[in-house]
């Protein structure tokens, strides 16, 4: 994927590009207009120089030889004549152009002020220039670029046999233009560099509040907001939430959003707490009447006087169901208390011993399963609530017994791996019903409802297990398939004494 350009770089590149385009445009405009100006001035000098020559010619001209017909147009001064008059500067060239448009001869004023005749191949580019008296640019090998004019002495409409060619060098004008172009180029480069440096500083300062806002948002995004009491106290600082600036508007909007979320979280927390409280209170209140029902049912069943069979059966059912209901109520009460953040009775717990005891109990309860225990010789100690951790292991072992056919092998193991203690309960049973795999640790989730109702299962076992593990700062995971189900509990190991 193409990486998006950051706002910072977009702005800096934009500023630099703007400066570059502006200096280029100004440079182009000024060099072009300067050159036009210089060339125009040169042209004026050229015209003046030819005028001077023609004036001189007019005063000194050799009149056409007597007898020559009127058809003879006046002859122009020769190149040497034109260059010989005072006021012509070094580098000026002059020559005679014949009637055929070819240059007959040409001279140049050297730097020393003497005249030098040009060789034919030097003035070759001057051939065939129109005699219209309009200056043109011609490049002469060895001499450089020239503005050249060719004028015949007659009126414009009277063709002349020969014409005077004069040229002034463009070298000075070109050097001036080049100097200006170089100057603007250097100024442009320096300007772009300055724009980048100053722009970087400016943009960084201008965007700093945005960075601070992003930091606040990132800090909030790291908070666990999904459950329990959340103190959402982070806010964008007042100076970054000033609605009169664009960035301040973003900061203000983020603060408003955070206020809103904090209020929503507080009300969620309040209603969750209320619900937990209610369930805890209700469960607590139900315990006593349930115990009474169970007691009375047991009393009646064991009454010395013989009851009719149907009544004995009824009392037996009442007793069994009230036992089941008591268990359910105890589970609900425990979950509600864990939800309320009940304090655990923490202390060092030896998981090796705990697992050994729990597997012993499971062996007694499920004699037709094959139980295996794998524990290290040294104790694995965690800091936790022994009774609750026992419940975790007992729930997993009871699941491995209740939800697998008789004869299934179940292996319980514990080991320490660095700073975690890992308890694993593995059975070779049919695996967990796929329909409930995603919600396995949620409340009242159980597979094969019809069968489980008969076995008295409620679907709270794993919910309690994971709540206890989480209260200990640990985690529980499951991997299951036909022939193997593994529950893995990770608990932080107690720091070495
Ligand atoms: N080892 C296992 N093998 C196959 N399925 C299992 C195993 N452990 C759990 N399950 C499935 O997960 C469901 C949820 O288990 P959980 O312990 O939460 O409830 P329960 O055992 O049905 O009821 P409770 O534990 O409250 O008596 C079970 O109903 C069962 O379908
Ligand atoms: Mg269970």
């Amino acid at each position: 994927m193409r990486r998006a350009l950051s706002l910072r770089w977009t702005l800096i590149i934009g500023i630099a590009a703007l400066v570059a385009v502006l200096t280029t445009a100004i440079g182009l405009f000024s060099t072009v207009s300067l050159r036009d100006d210089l060339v125009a001035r040169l042209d004026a000098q050229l015209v003046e120089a030819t005028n001077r020559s023609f004036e001189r010619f007019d005063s000194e001209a050799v009149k056409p030889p007597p007898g020559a017909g009127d058809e003879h147009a006046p002859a122009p001064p020769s190149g040497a004549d034109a260059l010989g008059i005072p006021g012509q500067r070094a580098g000026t060239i002059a020559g005679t152009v014949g009637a055929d448009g070819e240059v007959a001869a040409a001279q140049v004023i050297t730097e020393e002020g003497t005249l030098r005749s040009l060789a034919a191949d030097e003035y070759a580019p001057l051939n065939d220039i129109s005699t219209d008296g309009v200056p043109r640019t011609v490049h002469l090998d060895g001499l450089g670029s020239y503005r050249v004019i060719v004028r015949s002495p007659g009126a414009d409409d009277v063709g002349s046999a020969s014409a005077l060619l004069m040229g002034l060098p463009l070298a000075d004008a070109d050097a001036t233009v080049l100097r200006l172009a170089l100057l603007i180029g250097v100024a442009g480069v320096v300007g772009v560099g300055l724009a980048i440096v100053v722009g970087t500083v400016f943009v960084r300062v201008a965007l700093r509040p945005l960075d601070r806002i992003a930091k606040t948002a990132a800090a909030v995004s790291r908070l666990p907001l999904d459950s329990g009491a959340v103190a959402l106290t982070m806010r964008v600082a007042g100076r970054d939430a000033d609605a009169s600036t664009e960035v301040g508007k973003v900061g203000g909007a983020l603060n408003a959003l955070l206020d809103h979320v904090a209020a929503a979280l507080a009300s969620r927390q309040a209603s969750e707490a209320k619900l937990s409280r209610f369930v805890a209170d209700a469960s607590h209140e139900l315990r006593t009447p349930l115990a009474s029902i169970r007691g009375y049912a047991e009393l009646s069943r064991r009454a010395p006087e013989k009851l009719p069979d149907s009544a004995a059966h009824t009392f037996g059912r009442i007793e069994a169901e009230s036992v089941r209901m008591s268990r359910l109520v105890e589970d609900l009460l425990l979950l509600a208390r864990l939800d309320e953040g009940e304090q655990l009775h923490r202390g060092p717990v030896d998981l090796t011993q705990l697992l050994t005891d729990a597997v012993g109990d499971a062996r007694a309860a499920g004699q037709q399963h094959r139980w295996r225990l794998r524990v290290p010789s040294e104790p694995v100690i965690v800091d936790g609530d022994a009774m609750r951790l026992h419940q975790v292991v007992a729930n997993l072992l009871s699941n491995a017994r209740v939800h697998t056919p008789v004869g299934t092998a179940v292996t319980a193991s514990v080991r320490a791996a660095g700073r975690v203690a890992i308890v694993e309960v593995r059975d070779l049973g049919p695996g967990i019903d796929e329909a409930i795999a995603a919600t396995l640790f949620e409340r009242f989730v159980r597979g094969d409802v019809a069968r489980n109702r008969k076995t008295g299962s409620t679907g709270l076992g794993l919910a309690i297990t994971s709540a206890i593990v989480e209260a200990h700062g640990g985690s529980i995971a499951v991997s299951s398939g036909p022939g193997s189900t593994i529950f893995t509990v990770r608990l932080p190991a107690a720091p070495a004494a």
Side-chain angles (χ1 to χ4, degrees):
M1 203 187 77
R2 222 180 114 242
R3 269 190 68 201
L5 212 55
S6 71
L7 179 58
R8 173 167 306 162
W9 279 109
T10 311
L11 287 174
I12 293 169
I13 291 174
I15 293 169
L18 186 66
V19 172
V21 167
L22 275 181
T23 35
T24 310
I26 292 172
L28 271 179
F29 179 75
S30 45
T31 45
V32 166
S33 61
L34 176 71
R35 190 169 196 280
D36 285 353
D37 212 43
L38 291 176
V39 168
R41 223 179 287 171
L42 204 61
D43 289 351
Q45 288 169 8
L46 195 57
V47 169
E48 228 171 82
T50 42
N51 283 346
R52 272 202 306 273
S53 307
F54 276 104
E55 274 161 24
R56 177 71 170 260
F57 164 72
D58 274 344
S59 52
E60 291 183 8
V62 182
K63 298 285 174 269
D70 278 350
E71 70 274 13
H72 281 279
S78 71
D81 287 340
L83 294 179
I85 60 174
Q88 309 294 45
R89 58 186 243 219
T92 309
I93 57 171
T96 313
V97 179
D100 53 359
E102 301 284 308
V103 178
Q107 281 91 10
V108 61
I109 304 180
T110 62
E111 289 299 325
E112 292 79 38
T114 57
L115 281 191
R116 175 172 81 78
S117 292
L118 296 181
D121 56 338
E122 274 183 304
Y123 60 67
L126 297 172
N127 291 328
D128 292 327
I129 292 183
S130 163
T131 57
D132 55 4
V134 178
R136 287 181 172 71
T137 301
V138 176
H139 185 82
L140 300 178
D141 287 340
L143 292 171
S145 290
Y146 270 80
R147 287 296 278 181
V148 175
I149 198 170
V150 179
R151 272 174 70 180
S152 51
D156 286 345
D157 52 340
V158 180
S160 167
S162 54
L164 171 67
L165 172 151
M166 284 202 81
L168 282 173
L170 269 169
D172 282 354
D174 281 347
T176 308
V177 170
L178 187 68
R179 217 167 28 245
L180 178 72
L182 273 178
L183 214 73
I184 292 175
V186 170
V189 171
V190 171
V192 169
L194 259 175
I196 290 177
V197 172
V198 174
T200 307
V201 173
F202 251 106
V203 169
R204 180 162 298 159
V205 170
L207 292 186
R208 209 170 277 157
L210 216 51
D211 283 342
R212 288 194 292 265
I213 292 172
K215 269 201 195 98
T216 307
V220 172
S221 71
R222 282 193 294 269
L223 286 180
L225 301 180
D226 54 340
S227 64
V230 183
L232 192 59
T233 52
M234 289 140 181
R235 292 291 182 279
V236 174
R239 64 189 165 136
D240 296 336
D242 173 5
S244 62
T245 67
E246 286 80 357
V247 174
K249 268 183 204 145
V250 177
L254 183 63
N255 276 354
L257 176 72
L258 288 178
D259 287 343
H260 189 61
V261 171
L265 286 174
S267 92
R268 169 184 61 71
Q269 161 65 9
S271 67
E272 271 177 7
K274 211 158 119 190
L275 188 65
S276 297
R277 189 72 274 171
F278 171 73
V279 174
D281 288 349
S283 315
H284 192 76
E285 290 303 318
L286 282 171
R287 278 164 128 188
T288 322
L290 274 173
S292 305
I293 292 172
R294 202 169 73 204
Y296 280 119
E298 198 177 340
L299 263 183
S300 313
R301 192 166 52 80
R302 293 190 184 166
E305 54 277 12
K306 178 104 176 80
L307 287 173
D309 277 354
S310 63
H313 175 75
T314 306
F315 282 123
R317 290 301 310 141
I318 292 174
E319 199 187 328
E321 288 300 306
S322 57
V323 168
R324 192 161 103 83
M325 197 159 169
S326 296
R327 244 194 71 205
L328 180 61
V329 165
E330 290 300 331
D331 283 354
L332 282 176
L333 183 60
L334 174 59
L335 267 176
R337 284 188 175 156
L338 287 170
D339 283 351
E340 285 182 329
E342 182 205 48
Q343 285 301 306
L344 300 165
H345 302 289
R346 281 186 184 266
V349 180
D350 177 5
L351 289 180
T352 310
Q353 187 57 46
L354 188 146
L355 204 65
T356 312
D357 294 347
V359 170
D361 297 347
R363 197 170 272 141
Q367 294 178 4
Q368 282 155 307
H369 279 70
R370 287 178 290 137
W371 300 95
R372 286 193 200 116
L373 178 66
R374 265 196 216 136
V375 287
S377 47
E378 67 277 11
V380 176
I381 311 282
V382 295
D383 175 38
D385 187 324
M387 207 172 81
R388 298 275 177 255
L389 289 178
H390 186 275
Q391 201 167 1
V392 166
V393 176
N395 278 354
L396 295 179
L397 291 174
S398 121
N399 277 354
R401 173 172 56 84
V402 176
H403 303 298
T404 59
V406 290
T408 304
V410 183
T411 310
S413 67
V414 63
R415 66 177 193 276
R419 305 197 52 73
V420 272
I422 302 173
V423 177
E424 223 172 65
V425 175
R426 173 178 190 177
D427 68 68
L428 306 182
I432 293 168
D433 190 351
E434 267 179 36
I436 59 166
T439 51
L440 193 62
F441 296 103
E442 287 175 18
R443 288 155 200 206
F444 295 111
V445 170
R446 54 191 173 173
D448 196 355
V449 177
R451 198 182 77 83
N452 279 340
R453 193 167 291 138
K454 251 180 262 155
T455 61
S457 83
T458 58
L460 286 177
L462 286 177
I464 290 173
T465 302
S466 83
I468 295 174
V469 170
E470 269 160 29
H472 280 81
S475 65
I476 182 166
V478 61
S479 92
S480 177
S484 166
T485 299
I486 309 172
F487 281 93
T488 311
V489 174
R490 289 162 192 277
L491 294 165

